[in-house]
Amino acid sequence: MQNFENFLLNHLPISKSIHPHYEKALQRMLLAGGKRFRPALLLGVVEAYNPLLLEGAYHAAYAIELLHTYSLIHDDLPAMDNSPLRRGEPTLHVVFDEVTAILAGDALNTYSFEVLSNAPFSDYTRVELIRELAANGGLNGMVLGQAIDCYFENKPLCIEDVKILHTNKTAKLIAASLKMGAIIVGREKLGEKLYDFGIKLGLLFQIQDDILDVTQSSDEAGKLTNNDEAKNSFVTLLGLCEAQSQADELAQIVTQELESFDEKLKNELSPLLIHYINRHKDSV
């Protein structure tokens, strides 16, 4: 992933203007690091089937990271989670102001599609990638999940509705990352299988995040923890023990599906995913 990190650093959003800190705000949360989990999934699929396309795939991976970063900036806003910390750094509305944070998030959102539109693929591939990112990051994906999450604060949902919430808010962008990798290498049928796998992986990721929220300090997590009491988190609704049990069950399903992939794909994704599949087990 170091090559991708270098690519990101060499392609930070640039906006020269009379504004004293707009460009800094655009770059700040990207420079703060992060797991780069979604780009790694896309690049893992491309590496498995056509490493010659990796250089072009960095553009698509970067587009996903841009969209994901925008979602974090907005998620931390006072109108939403009102979080002071993200990726171990003060959030944008704390460093600058709320207006700057909103606009920086807006800019990274739209810039993600500009990056994709200029990526070195065929017109067909570019359109498919843009469609996939928009469909999963937009009105019937991540944004829908966030809308449900915010509206139902202090209004407990049933567990099936919580899964719908987090399928949209978290899982769909993870699933899209895998599918976009398959689109780049021309394996769209495999992309559907990877998308279904990614939904399960994304739900596991969210359950683990909910567990880590109550078992890690803010310093350990790099973001505000123990702040989900009003939210429809898996731990809030199920309790820690049952959430742990559901994470274990879903981790087993995800592991079995990972083992069913062909050797090339399994060899690329396993080193990345084994850590994430089991990360909740070290937290309690």
Side-chain angles (χ1 to χ4, degrees):
M1 287 297 291
Q2 186 57 51
N3 287 340
F4 171 72
E5 201 66 27
N6 292 338
F7 179 92
L8 183 151
L9 293 174
N10 288 325
H11 292 81
L12 289 169
I14 301 296
S15 181
K16 304 298 181 186
S17 75
I18 61 172
H19 196 291
H21 53 248
Y22 174 65
E23 185 179 75
K24 290 179 183 177
L26 294 176
Q27 298 178 358
R28 183 179 175 88
M29 204 52 61
L30 291 164
L31 290 170
K35 295 182 283 289
R36 314 296 195 212
F37 179 60
R38 293 152 190 81
L41 292 174
L42 181 150
L43 295 171
V45 176
V46 175
E47 178 72 42
Y49 295 112
N50 194 339
L52 294 177
L53 294 178
L54 270 178
E55 190 170 334
Y58 290 146
H59 295 80
Y62 182 39
I64 292 170
E65 187 65 15
L66 286 165
L67 194 78
H68 175 57
T69 302
Y70 123 75
S71 76
L72 300 181
I73 293 169
H74 279 197
D75 190 46
D76 291 333
L77 287 168
M80 298 197 195
D81 282 359
N82 195 22
S83 179
L85 195 67
R86 175 69 71 171
R87 292 176 171 172
E89 300 283 343
T91 43
L92 287 193
H93 67 271
V94 172
V95 174
F96 302 110
D97 52 62
E98 190 172 1
V99 170
T100 299
I102 291 169
L103 293 175
D106 290 344
L108 295 184
N109 181 345
T110 51
Y111 187 52
S112 69
F113 296 100
E114 182 180 341
V115 167
L116 268 184
S117 73
N118 290 319
F121 304 121
S122 68
D123 289 346
Y124 171 81
T125 299
R126 276 196 295 266
V127 169
E128 289 301 303
L129 292 172
I130 289 169
R131 179 184 290 117
E132 198 64 33
L133 188 59
N136 289 281
L139 81 164
N140 282 315
M142 184 173 62
V143 177
L144 170 61
Q146 182 74 340
I148 294 170
D149 193 26
C150 291
Y151 180 80
F152 285 98
E153 278 193 20
N154 293 305
K155 301 172 186 175
L157 295 170
C158 69
I159 194 62
E160 290 308 312
D161 285 343
V162 171
K163 288 179 181 177
I164 291 171
L165 185 171
H166 291 298
T167 293
N168 283 284
K169 183 178 177 181
T170 301
K172 283 188 176 180
L173 193 59
I174 289 173
S177 301
L178 288 160
K179 186 176 177 181
M180 288 168 70
I183 290 170
I184 290 169
V185 296
R187 292 175 172 255
E188 294 188 25
K189 189 173 181 181
L190 172 65
E192 296 301 325
K193 180 179 179 181
L194 286 173
Y195 186 88
D196 291 341
F197 171 75
I199 293 295
K200 298 184 186 78
L201 178 63
L203 280 175
L204 172 61
F205 198 87
Q206 184 60 54
I207 296 174
Q208 291 172 330
D209 267 4
D210 291 349
I211 291 169
L212 294 172
D213 180 73
V214 299
T215 58
Q216 285 189 338
S217 68
S218 296
D219 286 342
E220 289 172 319
K223 60 182 179 179
L224 185 66
T225 57
N226 290 289
N227 193 42
D228 282 350
E229 295 88 351
K231 294 279 190 178
N232 279 282
S233 80
F234 287 96
V235 173
T236 301
L237 292 175
L238 299 174
L240 181 57
C241 288
E242 179 58 26
Q244 178 80 22
S245 177
Q246 291 222 4
D248 289 341
E249 183 179 330
L250 197 48
Q252 186 174 6
I253 292 170
V254 168
T255 300
Q256 288 172 348
E257 289 201 18
L258 179 61
E259 287 298 316
S260 75
F261 294 158
D262 66 56
E263 287 300 314
K264 289 186 292 187
L265 185 57
K266 186 166 61 175
N267 288 342
E268 286 301 324
L269 293 183
S270 289
L272 169 67
L273 292 184
I274 290 303
H275 164 69
Y276 286 105
I277 288 170
N278 296 305
R279 66 188 178 128
H280 64 283
K281 294 182 180 178
D282 297 327
S283 64
V284 293

